[in-house]
Amino acid sequence: MRYSVPLCGLLASVALASDVHDLKTDTFKGFLEEHDLVLAEFFAPWCGHCKALAPEYETAATTLKEKDIALVKVDCTEEQELCQEFGVEGYPTLKVFRGTESITPYGGQRNADSIISFMTKQALPAVSDVTADTIEEFKTADKVVLVAYFAADDKASNETFNSVANKLRDNFLFGATNDAALAKAAGVEQPGLVLYKSFDDGKDVFTETFDAEAIESFAKVASTPLIGEVGPETYSGYMAAGLPLAYIFAETVEEREELAKELKPLALKHKGAVNFATIDAKAFGQHAGNLNLKADKFPAFAIQKTEKNQKYPYDQEAKITETDIGQFVDDFLAGKVEPSVKSEPIPETQEGPVAVVVAKNYEEVVINNDKDVLVEFYAPWCGHCKALAPKYEELAGLYASEEFSKLVTVAKVDATANDVPDEIQGFPTIKLFAAGKKDSPIDYTGSRTIEDLAQFIKDNGSHKVEAAFEAPQESAEESDDLPEQAAAASEKASETAEGVTESVKSAASEATEAVKSAAGGDDENIADIHDEL
């Protein structure tokens, strides 16, 4: 017993040991000046996403410490002014610092491997010099590595490759060599390019003209697995690839492997035109509903046009074979398959000042007119949407006059019950489709007040309509305090968690934890979280 107190103290000190530096306002900038490269996490202690990130961040910090890359964290509930200075709007926010002047958002996934890979790339030059002594090690330095082979006096190829590397350095490792013997060993002529990868056949050789656009396209296509797997860590990459995504739903690993083998010839045939990926139907089966498939009948197959969020479900009563799916994909690429459109009925009458939009009248109300159209994409169960509703109604009322209604429409669409052209990643999402600029909607990111929304319409709309609005005087009780600031800063993270059913952004465990944290354990909100990506 007499040793218990010292022993507990020792164990506590070990438990508290951390390679993540906990910084304050008075130590933050000094730390940045002493370190060339820093990844900073701005967090709140009650944030569920922050809690889920913590062990991954710690693991990454320990590994990256050996490479002289520092990971730090800042508690925004204590250091509010510092977080505001760096534009922190949600938790966690991660930013890469090279001193105090060069600041860029962290663009990787929230897990240790991705953080390590991303920050390792940041520590290297955009293009690393590769030699006979280092090339084999460099080929396996990351899952995907690009190595260019060109002559020392080929300035044009060198400049082209460097421009691509600077643009895509967050995504890939780039190396270059002017050693003709290495080019010969790689089986390419100068200028040449090879993408080395830890999957599929291990490498792809670039065969197009050596220009930036062709190299970028090659890198995106060749770096995507022939048949990968959709999950929380890969989903955003597939969405950003710009290619249609063919989902192969199956409930067991064995079945997914069997179907991947069956459809591999199709993935090879359509490489660069369609991405193929399996998806765990037990863990993420609810996503089948987002593709207009039945979420309880597997295996299943569907194609999604990611840039337009169009869905092409394959008949779930039919078998999944190379021949049948091959015909379906061929017909899809030939434009012979019509997209499946989920829509509520068009309202017989519009009641109230907010125009109700469904998929079947989306083009008419939002796109094919000369009005400035503000659209709220909402979910019926979303707490923030419910809170916004009365203010949004009042906002719409400002434009209800005969004069203004010809110029501005304030509308809303239930994005859980209607297919919309954009992939909505959180609720509410508010966009302005300005007259004459419908193909470039502007996302609203300001505070959800009537005054600010009206100002947004005036500033960004083509008609510059100025609606008369008298803001109520703010009482002392309504002034900003710490809990309200914390809640506002967490809106993005909590809404992404609330929107898991329709937005495949977060793993179910992370989402549930975030909702518990943000909603204080509200059973109604927690019940809306399904096993989803």
Side-chain angles (χ1 to χ4, degrees), residues 493-530:
S494 65
E495 281 309 323
T496 299
E498 283 185 306
V500 164
T501 306
E502 296 297 324
S503 168
V504 286
K505 281 291 278 185
S506 303
S509 59
E510 180 183 357
T512 303
E513 178 62 28
V515 172
K516 287 180 180 178
S517 178
D522 187 296
D523 291 336
E524 181 180 355
N525 285 334
I526 294 171
D528 289 313
I529 300 302
H530 299 278

mmCIF file of all heavy atoms in Angstrom, residues 493-530:
data_model
loop_
_atom_site.group_PDB
_atom_site.id
_atom_site.type_symbol
_atom_site.label_atom_id
_atom_site.label_comp_id
_atom_site.label_asym_id
_atom_site.label_seq_id
_atom_site.Cartn_x
_atom_site.Cartn_y
_atom_site.Cartn_z
ATOM 1 N N ALA A 493 -19.322 20.443 -38.130
ATOM 2 C CA ALA A 493 -19.031 19.064 -37.746
ATOM 3 C C ALA A 493 -20.274 18.325 -37.299
ATOM 4 O O ALA A 493 -20.517 17.187 -37.686
ATOM 5 C CB ALA A 493 -17.994 19.055 -36.613
ATOM 6 N N SER A 494 -21.108 19.003 -36.488
ATOM 7 C CA SER A 494 -22.288 18.309 -35.984
ATOM 8 C C SER A 494 -23.289 18.040 -37.088
ATOM 9 O O SER A 494 -23.931 16.992 -37.108
ATOM 10 C CB SER A 494 -22.940 19.138 -34.873
ATOM 11 O OG SER A 494 -23.440 20.353 -35.377
ATOM 12 N N GLU A 495 -23.443 18.972 -38.044
ATOM 13 C CA GLU A 495 -24.404 18.741 -39.117
ATOM 14 C C GLU A 495 -23.934 17.626 -40.033
ATOM 15 O O GLU A 495 -24.728 16.857 -40.567
ATOM 16 C CB GLU A 495 -24.630 20.020 -39.927
ATOM 17 C CG GLU A 495 -25.572 20.986 -39.228
ATOM 18 C CD GLU A 495 -26.847 20.299 -38.793
ATOM 19 O OE1 GLU A 495 -27.353 19.423 -39.493
ATOM 20 O OE2 GLU A 495 -27.343 20.628 -37.722
ATOM 21 N N THR A 496 -22.610 17.526 -40.236
ATOM 22 C CA THR A 496 -22.113 16.407 -41.043
ATOM 23 C C THR A 496 -22.441 15.101 -40.350
ATOM 24 O O THR A 496 -22.823 14.115 -40.969
ATOM 25 C CB THR A 496 -20.587 16.525 -41.235
ATOM 26 O OG1 THR A 496 -20.315 17.739 -41.923
ATOM 27 C CG2 THR A 496 -20.059 15.364 -42.063
ATOM 28 N N ALA A 497 -22.325 15.109 -38.991
ATOM 29 C CA ALA A 497 -22.667 13.894 -38.264
ATOM 30 C C ALA A 497 -24.148 13.592 -38.361
ATOM 31 O O ALA A 497 -24.559 12.454 -38.568
ATOM 32 C CB ALA A 497 -22.266 14.058 -36.790
ATOM 33 N N GLU A 498 -25.009 14.666 -38.213
ATOM 34 C CA GLU A 498 -26.453 14.451 -38.308
ATOM 35 C C GLU A 498 -26.846 13.944 -39.683
ATOM 36 O O GLU A 498 -27.780 13.179 -39.839
ATOM 37 C CB GLU A 498 -27.194 15.766 -38.033
ATOM 38 C CG GLU A 498 -27.255 16.132 -36.564
ATOM 39 C CD GLU A 498 -28.111 17.372 -36.368
ATOM 40 O OE1 GLU A 498 -27.844 18.395 -37.015
ATOM 41 O OE2 GLU A 498 -29.044 17.306 -35.573
ATOM 42 N N GLY A 499 -26.089 14.366 -40.697
ATOM 43 C CA GLY A 499 -26.479 14.033 -42.060
ATOM 44 C C GLY A 499 -25.878 12.765 -42.583
ATOM 45 O O GLY A 499 -25.822 12.563 -43.784
ATOM 46 N N VAL A 500 -25.434 11.860 -41.710
ATOM 47 C CA VAL A 500 -24.754 10.659 -42.168
ATOM 48 C C VAL A 500 -25.630 9.793 -43.052
ATOM 49 O O VAL A 500 -25.168 9.198 -44.006
ATOM 50 C CB VAL A 500 -24.264 9.841 -40.951
ATOM 51 C CG1 VAL A 500 -23.905 8.427 -41.352
ATOM 52 C CG2 VAL A 500 -23.041 10.501 -40.363
ATOM 53 N N THR A 501 -26.951 9.747 -42.753
ATOM 54 C CA THR A 501 -27.829 8.880 -43.540
ATOM 55 C C THR A 501 -27.765 9.223 -45.011
ATOM 56 O O THR A 501 -27.745 8.341 -45.841
ATOM 57 C CB THR A 501 -29.283 9.014 -43.046
ATOM 58 O OG1 THR A 501 -29.307 8.775 -41.645
ATOM 59 C CG2 THR A 501 -30.180 8.003 -43.734
ATOM 60 N N GLU A 502 -27.739 10.515 -45.338
ATOM 61 C CA GLU A 502 -27.755 10.918 -46.739
ATOM 62 C C GLU A 502 -26.388 11.335 -47.250
ATOM 63 O O GLU A 502 -26.149 11.341 -48.437
ATOM 64 C CB GLU A 502 -28.739 12.087 -46.926
ATOM 65 C CG GLU A 502 -30.169 11.726 -46.622
ATOM 66 C CD GLU A 502 -30.681 10.666 -47.553
ATOM 67 O OE1 GLU A 502 -30.301 10.684 -48.737
ATOM 68 O OE2 GLU A 502 -31.436 9.798 -47.102
ATOM 69 N N SER A 503 -25.486 11.728 -46.367
ATOM 70 C CA SER A 503 -24.181 12.210 -46.801
ATOM 71 C C SER A 503 -23.114 11.257 -46.329
ATOM 72 O O SER A 503 -22.907 11.068 -45.154
ATOM 73 C CB SER A 503 -23.932 13.596 -46.207
ATOM 74 O OG SER A 503 -22.599 13.959 -46.374
ATOM 75 N N VAL A 504 -22.429 10.632 -47.264
ATOM 76 C CA VAL A 504 -21.510 9.571 -46.897
ATOM 77 C C VAL A 504 -20.159 10.170 -46.543
ATOM 78 O O VAL A 504 -19.185 10.012 -47.252
ATOM 79 C CB VAL A 504 -21.368 8.551 -48.032
ATOM 80 C CG1 VAL A 504 -22.578 7.689 -48.135
ATOM 81 C CG2 VAL A 504 -21.182 9.260 -49.364
ATOM 82 N N LYS A 505 -20.116 10.853 -45.412
ATOM 83 C CA LYS A 505 -18.902 11.536 -45.040
ATOM 84 C C LYS A 505 -18.159 10.883 -43.887
ATOM 85 O O LYS A 505 -16.956 10.991 -43.804
ATOM 86 C CB LYS A 505 -19.218 12.986 -44.642
ATOM 87 C CG LYS A 505 -19.428 13.916 -45.803
ATOM 88 C CD LYS A 505 -18.193 14.181 -46.555
ATOM 89 C CE LYS A 505 -17.349 15.236 -45.919
ATOM 90 N NZ LYS A 505 -16.211 15.577 -46.722
ATOM 91 N N SER A 506 -18.851 10.290 -42.903
ATOM 92 C CA SER A 506 -18.214 9.881 -41.676
ATOM 93 C C SER A 506 -18.550 8.449 -41.331
ATOM 94 O O SER A 506 -19.627 7.969 -41.641
ATOM 95 C CB SER A 506 -18.662 10.784 -40.512
ATOM 96 O OG SER A 506 -18.369 12.117 -40.810
ATOM 97 N N ALA A 507 -17.632 7.787 -40.691
ATOM 98 C CA ALA A 507 -17.917 6.444 -40.193
ATOM 99 C C ALA A 507 -18.997 6.530 -39.122
ATOM 100 O O ALA A 507 -19.109 7.518 -38.414
ATOM 101 C CB ALA A 507 -16.650 5.825 -39.605
ATOM 102 N N ALA A 508 -19.771 5.444 -38.972
ATOM 103 C CA ALA A 508 -20.930 5.502 -38.085
ATOM 104 C C ALA A 508 -20.539 5.774 -36.636
ATOM 105 O O ALA A 508 -21.181 6.551 -35.953
ATOM 106 C CB ALA A 508 -21.707 4.189 -38.166
ATOM 107 N N SER A 509 -19.471 5.172 -36.179
ATOM 108 C CA SER A 509 -19.099 5.369 -34.787
ATOM 109 C C SER A 509 -18.704 6.802 -34.516
ATOM 110 O O SER A 509 -19.068 7.387 -33.498
ATOM 111 C CB SER A 509 -17.929 4.443 -34.424
ATOM 112 O OG SER A 509 -16.814 4.705 -35.252
ATOM 113 N N GLU A 510 -17.976 7.418 -35.462
ATOM 114 C CA GLU A 510 -17.570 8.800 -35.305
ATOM 115 C C GLU A 510 -18.779 9.720 -35.337
ATOM 116 O O GLU A 510 -18.899 10.646 -34.552
ATOM 117 C CB GLU A 510 -16.593 9.174 -36.422
ATOM 118 C CG GLU A 510 -16.104 10.617 -36.329
ATOM 119 C CD GLU A 510 -15.199 10.981 -37.490
ATOM 120 O OE1 GLU A 510 -14.923 10.099 -38.324
ATOM 121 O OE2 GLU A 510 -14.776 12.144 -37.557
ATOM 122 N N ALA A 511 -19.692 9.428 -36.255
ATOM 123 C CA ALA A 511 -20.878 10.267 -36.394
ATOM 124 C C ALA A 511 -21.739 10.211 -35.147
ATOM 125 O O ALA A 511 -22.233 11.224 -34.664
ATOM 126 C CB ALA A 511 -21.687 9.823 -37.612
ATOM 127 N N THR A 512 -21.936 8.997 -34.627
ATOM 128 C CA THR A 512 -22.758 8.848 -33.433
ATOM 129 C C THR A 512 -22.158 9.617 -32.271
ATOM 130 O O THR A 512 -22.853 10.303 -31.538
ATOM 131 C CB THR A 512 -22.885 7.360 -33.060
ATOM 132 O OG1 THR A 512 -23.439 6.663 -34.180
ATOM 133 C CG2 THR A 512 -23.795 7.180 -31.865
ATOM 134 N N GLU A 513 -20.845 9.507 -32.136
ATOM 135 C CA GLU A 513 -20.181 10.208 -31.034
ATOM 136 C C GLU A 513 -20.334 11.714 -31.184
ATOM 137 O O GLU A 513 -20.565 12.434 -30.211
ATOM 138 C CB GLU A 513 -18.683 9.835 -31.022
ATOM 139 C CG GLU A 513 -17.875 10.538 -29.940
ATOM 140 C CD GLU A 513 -18.346 10.201 -28.542
ATOM 141 O OE1 GLU A 513 -18.895 9.104 -28.347
ATOM 142 O OE2 GLU A 513 -18.173 11.032 -27.650
ATOM 143 N N ALA A 514 -20.225 12.193 -32.433
ATOM 144 C CA ALA A 514 -20.348 13.624 -32.666
ATOM 145 C C ALA A 514 -21.746 14.120 -32.332
ATOM 146 O O ALA A 514 -21.922 15.191 -31.763
ATOM 147 C CB ALA A 514 -20.020 13.949 -34.126
ATOM 148 N N VAL A 515 -22.753 13.335 -32.706
ATOM 149 C CA VAL A 515 -24.127 13.743 -32.422
ATOM 150 C C VAL A 515 -24.374 13.738 -30.918
ATOM 151 O O VAL A 515 -25.013 14.633 -30.368
ATOM 152 C CB VAL A 515 -25.132 12.823 -33.144
ATOM 153 C CG1 VAL A 515 -26.545 13.127 -32.692
ATOM 154 C CG2 VAL A 515 -25.020 13.034 -34.639
ATOM 155 N N LYS A 516 -23.888 12.720 -30.242
ATOM 156 C CA LYS A 516 -24.038 12.687 -28.779
ATOM 157 C C LYS A 516 -23.424 13.928 -28.168
ATOM 158 O O LYS A 516 -23.988 14.544 -27.268
ATOM 159 C CB LYS A 516 -23.361 11.438 -28.209
ATOM 160 C CG LYS A 516 -24.118 10.138 -28.488
ATOM 161 C CD LYS A 516 -23.362 8.974 -27.880
ATOM 162 C CE LYS A 516 -24.065 7.645 -28.125
ATOM 163 N NZ LYS A 516 -23.302 6.512 -27.572
ATOM 164 N N SER A 517 -22.241 14.277 -28.680
ATOM 165 C CA SER A 517 -21.536 15.420 -28.120
ATOM 166 C C SER A 517 -22.280 16.718 -28.391
ATOM 167 O O SER A 517 -22.446 17.550 -27.513
ATOM 168 C CB SER A 517 -20.131 15.499 -28.723
ATOM 169 O OG SER A 517 -19.452 16.608 -28.240
ATOM 170 N N ALA A 518 -22.724 16.884 -29.654
ATOM 171 C CA ALA A 518 -23.368 18.131 -30.038
ATOM 172 C C ALA A 518 -24.790 18.235 -29.511
ATOM 173 O O ALA A 518 -25.261 19.315 -29.177
ATOM 174 C CB ALA A 518 -23.372 18.266 -31.567
ATOM 175 N N ALA A 519 -25.490 17.102 -29.450
ATOM 176 C CA ALA A 519 -26.902 17.139 -29.076
ATOM 177 C C ALA A 519 -27.137 16.805 -27.607
ATOM 178 O O ALA A 519 -28.265 16.738 -27.156
ATOM 179 C CB ALA A 519 -27.691 16.156 -29.942
ATOM 180 N N GLY A 520 -26.063 16.576 -26.902
ATOM 181 C CA GLY A 520 -26.219 16.271 -25.489
ATOM 182 C C GLY A 520 -26.914 14.957 -25.248
ATOM 183 O O GLY A 520 -27.608 14.769 -24.265
ATOM 184 N N GLY A 521 -26.716 13.995 -26.175
ATOM 185 C CA GLY A 521 -27.303 12.685 -25.986
ATOM 186 C C GLY A 521 -28.753 12.615 -26.375
ATOM 187 O O GLY A 521 -29.487 11.743 -25.939
ATOM 188 N N ASP A 522 -29.229 13.541 -27.219
ATOM 189 C CA ASP A 522 -30.626 13.564 -27.639
ATOM 190 C C ASP A 522 -30.967 12.289 -28.401
ATOM 191 O O ASP A 522 -30.420 12.002 -29.437
ATOM 192 C CB ASP A 522 -30.841 14.797 -28.539
ATOM 193 C CG ASP A 522 -32.305 14.981 -28.875
ATOM 194 O OD1 ASP A 522 -32.868 14.117 -29.541
ATOM 195 O OD2 ASP A 522 -32.877 16.013 -28.457
ATOM 196 N N ASP A 523 -31.919 11.507 -27.869
ATOM 197 C CA ASP A 523 -32.247 10.217 -28.469
ATOM 198 C C ASP A 523 -32.813 10.369 -29.871
ATOM 199 O O ASP A 523 -32.565 9.545 -30.733
ATOM 200 C CB ASP A 523 -33.255 9.466 -27.586
ATOM 201 C CG ASP A 523 -32.632 9.020 -26.286
ATOM 202 O OD1 ASP A 523 -31.399 8.872 -26.262
ATOM 203 O OD2 ASP A 523 -33.372 8.825 -25.306
ATOM 204 N N GLU A 524 -33.585 11.431 -30.094
ATOM 205 C CA GLU A 524 -34.203 11.602 -31.415
ATOM 206 C C GLU A 524 -33.140 11.782 -32.483
ATOM 207 O O GLU A 524 -33.210 11.209 -33.561
ATOM 208 C CB GLU A 524 -35.123 12.820 -31.406
ATOM 209 C CG GLU A 524 -35.830 13.043 -32.755
ATOM 210 C CD GLU A 524 -36.736 14.244 -32.716
ATOM 211 O OE1 GLU A 524 -36.879 14.832 -31.632
ATOM 212 O OE2 GLU A 524 -37.285 14.595 -33.775
ATOM 213 N N ASN A 525 -32.122 12.588 -32.172
ATOM 214 C CA ASN A 525 -31.053 12.797 -33.144
ATOM 215 C C ASN A 525 -30.221 11.547 -33.320
ATOM 216 O O ASN A 525 -29.845 11.183 -34.427
ATOM 217 C CB ASN A 525 -30.145 13.953 -32.709
ATOM 218 C CG ASN A 525 -30.810 15.297 -32.924
ATOM 219 O OD1 ASN A 525 -31.675 15.422 -33.775
ATOM 220 N ND2 ASN A 525 -30.410 16.279 -32.143
ATOM 221 N N ILE A 526 -29.902 10.876 -32.230
ATOM 222 C CA ILE A 526 -29.066 9.686 -32.301
ATOM 223 C C ILE A 526 -29.759 8.590 -33.090
ATOM 224 O O ILE A 526 -29.131 7.829 -33.818
ATOM 225 C CB ILE A 526 -28.708 9.196 -30.882
ATOM 226 C CG1 ILE A 526 -27.818 10.237 -30.191
ATOM 227 C CG2 ILE A 526 -28.007 7.856 -30.929
ATOM 228 C CD1 ILE A 526 -27.596 9.967 -28.739
ATOM 229 N N ALA A 527 -31.068 8.527 -33.003
ATOM 230 C CA ALA A 527 -31.806 7.496 -33.735
ATOM 231 C C ALA A 527 -31.691 7.672 -35.231
ATOM 232 O O ALA A 527 -31.892 6.725 -35.989
ATOM 233 C CB ALA A 527 -33.276 7.532 -33.335
ATOM 234 N N ASP A 528 -31.351 8.866 -35.695
ATOM 235 C CA ASP A 528 -31.247 9.114 -37.124
ATOM 236 C C ASP A 528 -29.915 8.648 -37.693
ATOM 237 O O ASP A 528 -29.720 8.667 -38.897
ATOM 238 C CB ASP A 528 -31.397 10.609 -37.417
ATOM 239 C CG ASP A 528 -32.823 11.069 -37.193
ATOM 240 O OD1 ASP A 528 -33.726 10.378 -37.676
ATOM 241 O OD2 ASP A 528 -33.005 12.097 -36.537
ATOM 242 N N ILE A 529 -28.969 8.261 -36.835
ATOM 243 C CA ILE A 529 -27.671 7.816 -37.315
ATOM 244 C C ILE A 529 -27.728 6.337 -37.655
ATOM 245 O O ILE A 529 -28.074 5.504 -36.845
ATOM 246 C CB ILE A 529 -26.583 8.058 -36.244
ATOM 247 C CG1 ILE A 529 -26.514 9.547 -35.914
ATOM 248 C CG2 ILE A 529 -25.253 7.570 -36.727
ATOM 249 C CD1 ILE A 529 -26.235 10.428 -37.106
ATOM 250 N N HIS A 530 -27.390 6.024 -38.903
ATOM 251 C CA HIS A 530 -27.391 4.641 -39.356
ATOM 252 C C HIS A 530 -25.962 4.209 -39.638
ATOM 253 O O HIS A 530 -25.048 5.020 -39.668
ATOM 254 C CB HIS A 530 -28.226 4.507 -40.626
ATOM 255 C CG HIS A 530 -29.659 4.891 -40.440
ATOM 256 N ND1 HIS A 530 -30.598 4.044 -39.909
ATOM 257 C CD2 HIS A 530 -30.314 6.049 -40.711
ATOM 258 C CE1 HIS A 530 -31.762 4.649 -39.866
ATOM 259 N NE2 HIS A 530 -31.622 5.862 -40.346
#
